[in-house]
């Protein structure tokens, strides 16, 4: 498709993509952009974007990674192997990345890892016994820890909650108090709870897991010395 010459409401998908590429390149130069995304496929919310549109434009979005050399921050929700297959087909367009908030099968995780990707885990990755069984299979040198706040916290109803050792006091939003969490809102400090659950499931010291995952993050984002 050719690039449109219009602006505003007349701008094309390619116009938007060119703007994103420029934004990412500028951010890479000044150090404010570490990855491109979140991008990927989601078949749970087709009311926002039909499957055909997602399949058409995701490969085009990979130009962001190709032209900047930045890693991908990927979204994979209930899409079978469609995202994996697109990444394989367009392997020349990206170098590295992470499939964040992973809650799929061990088999798919292994495929992503073999492709050179990391697996990102948060509370949504740790809901069920099936989720925990998947986490147990993941090599620690391919795991990234995340919160996805303000969502995806580790809830009391989650299968691995009994591994959580660190708790933070919270209050209702209307009773906000500096130094306390807002009740019902996930926050960055809760990443320790994700680490505690993952370490508990894998039966390793939490400090060991944290050190490994921190090194993984530095390696992925190009910050390792």
């Amino acid at each position: 498709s050719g690039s449109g010459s219009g602006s505003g409401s007349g701008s094309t998908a390619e116009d938007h993509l060119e703007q994103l590429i420029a934004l990412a390149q500028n951010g890479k130069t000044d150090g404010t952009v570490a990855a491109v995304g979140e991008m990927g496929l989601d078949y749970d919310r087709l009311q926002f974007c039909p499957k055909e549109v997602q399949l058409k434009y995701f490969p085009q979005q990979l130009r962001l990674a190709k032209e900047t050399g930045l890693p991908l921050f990927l979204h994979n929700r209930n899409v079978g192997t469609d995202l994996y297959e697109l990444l394989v087909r367009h392997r020349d367009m990206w170098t590295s990345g992470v499939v964040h908030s992973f809650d799929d099968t061990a088999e798919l995780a292994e495929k992503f890892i073999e492709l050179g990707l990391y697996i990102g885990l948060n509370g949504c990755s740790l809901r069920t016994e099936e989720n925990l069984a998947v986490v147990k299979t993941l090599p620690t040198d391919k795991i990234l820890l995340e919160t996805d706040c303000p969502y995806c916290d580790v809830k009391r109803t989650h299968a691995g909650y009994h591994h959580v050792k660190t708790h933070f006091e919270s209050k209702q939003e209307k009773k906000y108090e500096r130094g306390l969490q807002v009740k019902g809102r996930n926050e960055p400090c809760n990443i320790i709870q994700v680490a505690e659950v993952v370490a508990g499931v894998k039966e390793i010291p939490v400090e060991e897991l944290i050190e490994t995952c921190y090194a993984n993050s530095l390696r992925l984002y190009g910050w390792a010395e």
Side-chain angles (χ1 to χ4, degrees), residues 19-34:
Q19 291 169 14
L20 285 172
I21 290 170
L23 190 66
Q25 286 173 330
N26 290 339
K28 181 182 179 181
T29 300
D30 65 22
T32 58
V33 175

Side-chain angles (χ1 to χ4, degrees), residues 145 192 195 205-215:
L145 303 176
I192 182 62
V206 67
E207 295 81 6
E208 178 185 325
L209 177 79
I210 289 170
E211 287 180 10
T212 300
C213 293
Y214 181 62

Side-chain angles (χ1 to χ4, degrees), residues 145 163 165-166 191-200 203-213:
L145 303 176
H163 291 297
K165 303 291 189 291
T166 305
I191 196 166
I192 182 62
Q193 296 181 341
V194 178
E196 288 170 344
V197 175
V198 174
E203 301 178 335
I204 60 175
V206 67
E207 295 81 6
E208 178 185 325
L209 177 79
I210 289 170
E211 287 180 10
T212 300
C213 293

Side-chain angles (χ1 to χ4, degrees), residues 12-78:
T12 66
E14 187 156 328
D15 291 334
H16 287 296
L17 185 59
E18 293 295 343
Q19 291 169 14
L20 285 172
I21 290 170
L23 190 66
Q25 286 173 330
N26 290 339
K28 181 182 179 181
T29 300
D30 65 22
T32 58
V33 175
V36 290
E38 177 180 344
M39 65 175 74
L41 302 177
D42 189 325
Y43 295 170
D44 271 356
R45 299 179 178 178
L46 296 176
Q47 69 270 31
F48 297 122
C49 186
K51 178 178 176 180
E52 310 74 52
V53 175
Q54 296 186 47
L55 292 171
K56 176 181 178 181
Y57 285 102
F58 174 70
Q60 296 185 39
Q61 292 172 343
L62 291 176
R63 279 185 55 205
L64 282 160
K66 185 178 179 71
E67 299 199 22
T68 63
L70 290 167
L72 292 166
F73 198 84
L74 294 163
H75 180 98
N76 177 85
R77 179 180 285 151
N78 194 26

Side-chain angles (χ1 to χ4, degrees), residues 95-116:
T95 55
S96 61
V98 55
V99 185
H100 106 108
S101 197
F102 188 83
D103 64 353
D104 215 296
T105 66
E107 291 75 21
L108 185 59
E110 185 177 4
K111 284 177 176 288
F112 281 133
I113 289 170
E114 288 175 351
L115 203 53

